[in-house]
Amino acid sequence: MTSNRSMLRGTIVSRALFLISIFISQVTAVLNATESSAQLILSNDRLFAAVTKSKGAIHQLTLDGQDLLGPISGSTGIGPYLDCYCVPSGFYTPGSVAPKYQLLSGTDSTNTAWGGIVMSEVYPPTGQLLEQYWFLRDGETGLHTFSRLAYYNKTKPFLRNLQEFRTLFRPNTNLWTHLLTNEKQYAPLPSTETKAKQVVVQDATWYLGNTQDDAYVQQEDGSTSKDGSTFGSWLVMNTKDTYFGGPMHSDLQVDGIVYNYMGYVVSNHHGAGTPNITDGFDRTFGPQYYYFNKGAPSTPMEELRKDALQFYSPTWNSAFYDAIAKHIPNYVPSSVRGTWKGQASVPKGASKPIAVLAQNDVDFQDNVLHTSAYQYWGDIDSKTGKVSIPSVKAGTYRLTVYAEGFFGQYTQDNVRISAGRTASTKVRWKEESSGNEIWRIGTPDKSPGEYRHGYELDLTHPLQPEQYRSYWAVHDFPTEFPQGVRFEVGKSKEVEDLNYVHWSVFGGYASSIRTVPRWENVNNWTLLWDMEKKQSKGKKATFTVQLSGAKTAAGTQMFYHSSSCAVRSAVICYNIANKFVFDARLLVKGKNEIVLSLPANATDYESAILPQTTYVQYDALRLEVGS
């Protein structure tokens, strides 16, 4: 069993009678932006892209003459294109209901030519404006994309939440043979035969065991270009300031489609909040860079990935983005941006400290509450404490600092950034404390990766993926913990005796392995420890619970950090923390216990094929006694 988180696929070049031709010549290449009655084209000496007017999507894409998309078949063989879950009925793909097109061209301050295509469509039932932008710069082999949603309606000021807003790249060719999320997570794509024989076990997850000889099945559960070259297709998130959720936000990126879920992303797959579409909502997401590269037949994927990483910077191509800013509503050019620098004193031993600038007065995970909010973050140098974040939109932000290994975080509101200037902030962060620490379980690092089936590698497969990435049902909790969880501090081991998920009920709906649900010895976890009398001296005890994710029955509107996390192969989702304070006299000399209890057999309706159980995932736990 394994999730099918695939990656790429491709189209054929066609010819059209060009009605409009704009050629911008340079010494090394020619940037071509043309329009006909059927399509609009952007091309340079290496990359060719054509948007079909009938679909509002790129339907032809080649690099050095190699077709990257393949033939159109339904919703495949196209992309990048705009798609959303943003209309009252749910999903919608703009581009087929009276779209309008605009062809753009020019040169930037470096005297480099560029061309652009804009697709605009008004959704008739609601009046929502949906726009997609594609730009190609001379000398580059990638497409710069922006996506916009606008809604102005005073008679119906609230439309719905923006549940998903994304660009998709959906090839339909055997050119693409492998998928890659990062340097650790990659695999060959399932074959056509394997996909034909797959069995859906839950939403976007297939059982592929019917074809045991398939390379994907063997390795995770060649090249087919015309000249044997290796090709790469990469979504480079060089800017994330128009997204939502901060650095902890995660979402689906590849599962047979290359996703760019706007809002880093706008969707609640892993428990993130989603913005509401209300009167005056007008947001442009981007830029993002869809980069295509080519190597010799023996070029490894990692080499092509590293090539793409050269563009992973918010300051890359700023001259170009400034040049096209006047064509993109809401885009913020460099003239109205500044720089933030920090000097942070963090607790000794802090690992991977990070500084975040996001919406003022709220947790950075909740910056969807202000639909014009921007966000930024940067790594703090562990030795010097210095951090610098460039290209910050002028405005007022909350600064948050946190690090692995320490409970809590530092926050400071009203950090002001001015255009063309550098703002500096000094931070002195001490770990929060509520008295004498009796014990802690787990590492406060925003994840349950240290527990059973977390970051442990699956040694049964050659590529050894982290175990949490597998289909959740293969980790059969009732079999592994037949008497439930009893964890004794100082004797038990997190990696063996605590599961990476605390379920209310295990199995049943959306489980192809344990089809009959089991809740006995599942929902109650017992923590045990011995105490000396002197340890309980104090008036109050504080039990800190930090969660890396939660699924409740409250729904995403009232309890916006409630959504799928573990069941979509994730461990870092919307983080929640709470301190339970009680009379320290309840602690006794000798054996003590705390029962972590979820309602037995607690479930919630799921519109998709997903487990209905409620559950939590623990980051870390701590008990303290103080005055």
Side-chain angles (χ1 to χ4, degrees), residues 286-349:
Q288 292 304 298
Y289 190 48
Y290 280 88
Y291 177 60
F292 308 98
N293 56 3
K294 177 183 178 181
S298 59
T299 305
M301 286 188 298
E302 180 61 15
E303 185 174 322
L304 294 181
R305 189 188 74 89
K306 288 181 178 178
D307 174 49
L309 282 175
Q310 67 180 298
F311 309 114
Y312 186 68
S313 166
T315 58
W316 173 69
N317 249 336
S318 58
F320 165 63
Y321 291 135
D322 284 347
I324 63 175
K326 63 182 178 181
H327 302 290
I328 306 165
N330 309 314
Y331 180 69
V332 180
S334 59
S335 60
V336 286
R337 294 176 182 264
T339 298
W340 177 80
K341 290 187 176 182
Q343 180 68 53
S345 173
V346 299
K348 185 177 180 180

Side-chain angles (χ1 to χ4, degrees), residues 166-185:
R166 59 193 186 177
T167 53
L168 306 179
F169 179 62
R170 304 190 68 176
N172 182 34
T173 171
N174 63 359
L175 172 70
W176 306 110
T177 61
H178 287 71
L179 58 95
L180 186 149
T181 300
N182 53 46
E183 69 275 16
K184 295 190 297 183
Q185 181 63 26

Side-chain angles (χ1 to χ4, degrees), residues 24-32 43-46 113 138-140:
I24 303 170
S25 299
Q26 286 196 310
V27 175
T28 58
V30 175
L31 193 290
N32 177 16
S43 67
N44 57 27
D45 61 339
R46 296 192 64 194
D138 212 355
E140 296 180 350

Side-chain angles (χ1 to χ4, degrees), residues 104 351 459:
L104 304 170
S351 176
L459 303 181

